[in-house]
Amino acid sequence: MTDLCILAEVSHSGYYAWIARTDSVSIREERDYADYLLLKRVHNRHKGKIGYRGLYMEMLDLIGGPMNHKRILRIMRKFGIVTKIRRKNAYRKIAKAHMNIRLYQTT
């Protein structure tokens, strides 16, 4: 054991802390996956057009309590849940500018 710690340049306490932490990490992974399935179901129901704020509001209703928005963002990044973003319509902007020009010309 001592030889391995020296070889890996890790302290004894660091090794034992890592061993103790592996159980909590696996529990967190399982909990994250269960939350991912729930978030993915809501995200698909909204056809991918709901962001983390909307997911937060849905979770309030669905699980009866809040899920931290930072946790939602972390799970979205971890499992690749991406929100569709509506793009601006360039033609609408051109039409508004054209309309404003007409208004100025008539007055």
Side-chain angles (χ1 to χ4, degrees), residues 16-70:
Y16 287 112
W18 177 74
I19 292 294
R21 193 172 48 242
T22 55
D23 293 336
S24 63
V25 170
S26 64
I27 291 171
R28 179 180 174 181
E29 292 292 326
E30 290 174 12
R31 201 170 354 126
D32 281 354
Y33 187 72
D35 289 339
Y36 157 71
L37 294 176
L38 190 62
L39 289 173
K40 186 66 176 171
R41 190 174 70 194
V42 172
H43 192 260
N44 288 340
R45 188 170 12 142
H46 288 275
K47 299 176 185 169
K49 296 178 183 178
I50 187 169
Y52 80 96
R53 291 183 180 118
L55 285 171
Y56 175 80
M57 298 303 286
E58 288 284 329
M59 288 299 117
L60 280 174
D61 295 337
L62 197 59
I63 62 175
M67 179 187 287
N68 194 318
H69 66 280
K70 295 174 197 171

